[in-house]
Amino acid sequence: MLVWKSSVTAKAVPAAAIIIVVGGDAVVGHALELLLRGSGYDARFEALSTFAADGTPLDAGLILLAPGLDERGRETVLTSVDVARRGGDLSVIELVPAMSSWPGEGHALLPWPCRTEDLEREVETALHGTGGPRRVGVTRPGEKENRP
């Protein structure tokens, strides 16, 4: 994308990463898409069938696993993401029930429901690589809780 800096020169600015929201409940998925768009992100909801048939969309910069995705659907998306990661960076954030004990499997877990600020912070961390996979709101022995 080109952005005009003055009447004489133009500067190339990288396009924003696209956030793909996938989940079992279309209403929740579209609500998350709108929430992220309202926060200034380029987000879109994709049906699980997209991942089953075509794999991970090539333009994805972040995959957000929305609540309501069953174990089979979750595995379909994560397998597709693992294949896509071989060619570059692709982060995953999974929204899980607050009392869930699912393993993170190399991606961030965020308790659901959560505050918009928490979701935005995790998206920024995932897109800009400012931290490794973690579980927000959960502390390990000897560390402080990772909430503001």
Side-chain angles (χ1 to χ4, degrees):
M1 173 188 312
L2 291 178
V3 176
W4 290 102
K5 295 292 278 180
S6 71
S7 61
V8 179
T9 62
K11 180 181 178 185
V13 175
I18 295 174
I19 301 171
I20 304 294
V21 179
V22 62
D25 186 338
V27 172
V28 173
H30 285 295
L32 285 165
E33 173 188 18
L34 292 173
L35 177 94
L36 290 166
R37 284 181 180 228
S39 295
Y41 297 104
D42 185 0
R44 71 174 186 243
F45 176 74
E46 292 283 344
L48 179 60
S49 60
T50 301
F51 288 84
D54 302 328
T56 302
L58 296 177
D59 55 355
L62 171 66
I63 304 295
L64 179 65
L65 296 176
L69 196 60
D70 64 13
E71 186 62 28
R72 183 175 175 202
R74 181 178 176 272
E75 289 301 319
T76 298
V77 173
L78 291 176
T79 299
S80 176
V81 167
D82 284 343
V83 170
R85 279 186 180 155
R86 292 183 190 144
D89 282 338
L90 182 60
S91 298
V92 176
I93 298 174
E94 183 173 3
L95 300 176
V96 297
M99 303 310 281
S100 174
S101 62
W102 291 19
E105 299 174 12
H107 61 273
L109 296 178
L110 183 62
W112 180 259
C114 66
R115 299 178 316 161
T116 302
E117 295 83 12
D118 293 338
L119 180 58
E120 289 172 347
R121 184 178 53 248
E122 285 302 305
V123 167
E124 282 300 309
T125 299
L127 289 175
H128 300 297
T130 57
R134 64 197 179 288
R135 185 179 181 113
V136 174
V138 176
T139 57
R140 295 183 183 104
E143 75 179 11
K144 293 183 179 179
E145 185 176 0
N146 50 4
R147 281 190 182 259

